[in-house]
Amino acid sequence: MPEPHRPLVAVDLYGTGIHPQSWRRQDSRAEDLFTAAYWTGLIGQADSAGVDLAFVGDSFAIATTGHADQRGQLDAVAITARAVASTERIGLVPTVTVTHTEPFHVSKAIASLDHASGGRAGWQVDVSSGQVQADLFGRKDAQGAESLWAEAADAIEVVGLLWDSWEDDAEIRDVATGRFIDRDKLHYIDFEGDHFSVKGPSITPRSPQGQSLIVIAARDEYSTRVAAARADVIRIAAPTVDAARDVAARVRRAATEAGRDPASLRILLDLEVVIAETADAAERDLAQLENWSGARYEPASVLYRGDAPGLARLITDVAATGDVDGVTLRPLALPSGLDAITGDVLPLLGSGDPAPGGGLLRERLGFTRPANRFAGQD
């Protein structure tokens, strides 16, 4: 597997930022939050600057803490589909939860995004916990974490089988015989599991990547187990860089136990960031957010507040551990944070002049295009 030319850099695009009070900043652009221009502008900006992956979060939760204090959100797949036309290179990775969404629908949506983007789609898998979200659908009660992630594992398997249910050359468009497809190259998947029974095949032809990238945040033992067994890109969180090295090592050991080559994974550390011209200014920005919320900000991973050169050094230090392949930057205040990342941080990493053109996301991240598991079967 070829090595990437620099640390992978992803950006987590969520609302006006991951701090629940970020919408109160004058530069938050909260008035544009539910417009296409807001999202295509942000993702296009990241694309032009050389960001590798755009994670677009989604959830059915409307809670009273954390992200959900910015109430209401657009559909992540729809946002990324709209951003296809304004981008050329960046990987488009929407979150699609599987607890209340059928894998057939997930398969069709992500495959369509991969077709539309010319092979730049990924899928960040997540689950929907709690009775409040279950009641939005009314089909089943809330599940525990172990059950949620066991169901997610089944959903990933079903989606992957559906992506392979058309062989690459199934579409023949034979005018003489009047056959648009070769029916022998479409396959029933006949999946029978604890949570799903799906016959298939998909209605969407196999996409440019064959299998879009699977991304999972390893947040607990259950999500880590599924990520180690099935994800291409794994997001981790840790309070320090040293702790991140230990977390990454545990994830790679879990991959080995699952029968995978641990070197085949890409592991990204979440960095929560407040970037300003000086460290003092960044501290003041964080203090303002905390003052609005009335509480000290409690990060879920490494929290960086400071200037752009300091963040570039931190990213380099993370990659130098040898166990972590890159970072996911999570601005507490998104528009201003993305301005600093694209304008000041990435050029310091040598990634401000991205290679032109597209290409398959898998190949640019060092992954191969998977063979179709049904090809060659009778």
Side-chain angles (χ1 to χ4, degrees):
M1 177 179 291
E3 293 298 323
H5 67 284
R6 56 162 173 76
L8 292 174
V9 176
V11 175
D12 191 347
L13 305 172
Y14 194 98
T16 56
I18 65 169
H19 194 285
Q21 299 296 319
S22 58
W23 62 272
R24 298 173 73 173
R25 287 173 55 106
Q26 287 189 344
D27 60 1
S28 72
R29 297 184 57 200
E31 68 277 13
D32 298 328
L33 183 57
F34 302 120
T35 67
Y38 177 81
W39 293 102
T40 56
L42 292 175
I43 299 173
Q45 179 181 350
D47 179 62
S48 298
V51 173
D52 295 294
L53 298 164
F55 296 134
V56 180
D58 207 345
S59 169
F60 293 122
I62 299 181
T64 56
T65 58
H67 290 167
D69 275 11
Q70 301 168 99
R71 291 176 181 272
Q73 59 192 37
L74 303 181
D75 182 86
V77 174
I79 289 172
T80 50
R82 180 62 182 259
V84 166
S86 62
T87 55
E88 295 182 349
R89 179 184 176 277
I90 196 169
L92 301 168
V93 188
T95 294
V96 185
T97 59
V98 296
T99 309
H100 304 296
T101 306
E102 296 295 329
F104 190 93
H105 295 143
V106 177
S107 165
K108 181 172 178 287
I110 300 298
S112 297
L113 180 63
D114 202 45
H115 278 288
S117 64
R120 292 188 285 127
W123 169 32
Q124 181 159 243
V125 183
D126 207 347
V127 299
S128 302
S129 61
Q131 191 61 44
V132 172
Q133 293 187 68
D135 288 344
L136 294 175
F137 297 85
R139 295 192 302 178
K140 57 184 178 181
D141 289 330
Q143 300 162 248
E146 184 174 13
S147 174
L148 286 169
W149 281 102
E151 183 180 47
D154 273 6
I156 295 168
E157 177 68 12
V158 171
V159 169
L161 288 166
L162 288 169
W163 284 340
D164 276 351
S165 64
W166 287 52
E167 294 186 36
D168 289 310
D169 54 353
E171 181 189 344
I172 57 175
R173 287 175 275 112
D174 188 334
V175 175
T177 62
R179 294 187 306 156
F180 189 83
I181 60 172
D182 180 347
R183 188 62 186 83
D184 291 336
K185 294 183 181 296
L186 267 61
H187 303 275
Y188 295 117
I189 68 170
D190 291 323
F191 179 87
E192 297 286 344
D194 292 337
H195 300 279
F196 305 105
S197 176
V198 180
K199 186 173 185 61
S202 176
I203 62 170
T204 307
R206 197 167 194 245
S207 71
Q209 293 186 96
Q211 298 275 319
S212 292
L213 286 183
I214 301 293
V215 181
I216 297 178
R219 292 192 294 259
D220 56 28
E221 64 174 300
Y222 307 113
S223 56
T224 298
R225 186 183 305 156
V226 176
R230 296 179 178 276
D232 301 297
V233 177
I234 299 177
R235 293 176 58 178
I236 63 171
T240 66
V241 174
D242 286 341
R245 182 187 296 116
D246 296 337
V247 173
R250 287 200 298 272
V251 168
R252 294 194 193 276
R253 285 197 297 272
T256 300
E257 293 168 1
R260 301 182 70 193
D261 176 2
S264 68
L265 308 176
R266 295 298 188 209
I267 296 179
L268 306 181
L269 172 65
D270 282 2
L271 295 182
E272 303 183 11
V273 297
V274 183
I275 314 165
E277 291 187 0
T278 66
D280 287 344
E283 291 288 358
R284 287 195 296 273
D285 285 349
L286 179 59
Q288 177 67 85
L289 293 170
E290 292 178 333
N291 183 54
W292 279 327
S293 65
R296 184 176 179 82
Y297 180 69
E298 298 293 341
S301 191
V302 174
L303 171 63
Y304 174 82
R305 63 271 205 197
D307 60 13
L311 180 55
R313 287 193 296 273
L314 176 59
I315 294 170
T316 302
D317 289 345
V318 170
T321 65
D323 297 304
V324 181
D325 300 291
V327 298
T328 299
L329 300 177
R330 310 188 71 216
L332 271 66
L334 180 53
S336 61
L338 188 63
D339 285 345
I341 291 166
T342 57
D344 302 323
V345 177
L346 288 180
L348 296 174
L349 295 173
S351 53
D353 185 20
L360 297 181
L361 177 61
R362 276 191 163 277
E363 294 175 350
R364 284 195 287 106
L365 267 58
F367 296 101
T368 58
R369 187 176 189 273
N372 188 308
R373 70 195 82 180
F374 293 110
Q377 294 183 4
D378 293 331

